[in-house]
Amino acid sequence: MSENALNRLSFNEAVVFVKQRRKAAFAAMPVFGDDDGDENMQAEGARVFLLLPDEDEGWTLRFIAGPFFSAAYAANDIIPNDEIPDRVRELLFVPTRCEEDWLTDQLQVLLGKLTQAAGIGEQMPDYESQAAKGAGPEAVFPISFIGRDKPH
């Protein structure tokens, strides 16, 4: 087992870690486009599940999703404990730290900071120095970035 695999925590272990150590833990999933037949497909964005310490409950789960290289998120919500999907509870989380102002960074910059703070970010590119793309109020993101079922 690799050293990084040893640092992964189940959801329940991550909650205990966050409550006891007052640090963060995260899990991330890439989001790919709709072209299923393309074997060279690259991730277009990500879904990030971030467990953060909280004064009231001891912890909260923040869900952040969106495209890479955009200053706008498709989702940036706190998910109540009783609404956390089972598939999120099945993820493995990595202990890290997170500062509040990181949550306003572009998604790939946020991921870079979380992985650097976790000690696993040595292979992440320097996205912070790259130009940002903005999104106006008319911007609409595909529902696949959020991970909710498509409307019928």
Side-chain angles (χ1 to χ4, degrees), residues 78-139:
I78 301 223
I79 300 176
N81 188 8
D82 60 347
E83 294 180 22
I84 298 172
D86 288 341
R87 68 177 189 261
V88 173
R89 294 180 185 274
E90 294 168 1
L91 295 173
L92 293 177
F93 286 76
V94 177
T96 191
R97 70 179 178 81
C98 182
E99 297 177 19
E100 186 69 29
D101 63 334
W102 293 3
L103 302 177
T104 58
D105 287 329
Q106 290 183 26
L107 196 59
Q108 76 281 357
V109 174
L110 170 64
L111 283 169
K113 289 179 178 180
L114 291 172
T115 56
Q116 287 285 60
I120 59 172
E122 61 277 348
Q123 296 180 4
M124 291 290 287
D126 178 17
Y127 290 121
E128 221 167 345
S129 62
Q130 296 184 8
K133 294 182 202 171
E138 72 285 352

Side-chain angles (χ1 to χ4, degrees), residues 10-130:
S10 70
F11 179 83
N12 290 336
E13 291 168 336
V15 167
V16 170
F17 171 85
V18 169
K19 287 170 72 172
Q20 289 180 347
R21 303 255 181 106
R22 310 295 300 154
K23 291 188 174 187
F26 79 101
M29 299 169 36
V31 173
F32 296 95
D34 292 333
D35 189 5
D36 294 332
D38 184 4
E39 59 195 41
N40 297 320
M41 190 180 336
Q42 294 185 335
E44 295 179 358
R47 292 182 196 110
V48 179
F49 299 94
L50 185 58
L51 286 165
L52 296 166
D54 178 70
E55 294 301 321
D56 297 328
E57 302 294 324
W59 63 277
T60 58
L61 178 65
R62 183 174 290 271
F63 171 57
I64 299 170
F68 292 141
F69 305 106
S70 170
Y73 291 144
N76 187 353
D77 303 313
I78 301 223
I79 300 176
N81 188 8
D82 60 347
E83 294 180 22
I84 298 172
D86 288 341
R87 68 177 189 261
V88 173
R89 294 180 185 274
E90 294 168 1
L91 295 173
L92 293 177
F93 286 76
V94 177
T96 191
R97 70 179 178 81
C98 182
E99 297 177 19
E100 186 69 29
D101 63 334
W102 293 3
L103 302 177
T104 58
D105 287 329
Q106 290 183 26
L107 196 59
Q108 76 281 357
V109 174
L110 170 64
L111 283 169
K113 289 179 178 180
L114 291 172
T115 56
Q116 287 285 60
I120 59 172
E122 61 277 348
Q123 296 180 4
M124 291 290 287
D126 178 17
Y127 290 121
E128 221 167 345
S129 62
Q130 296 184 8

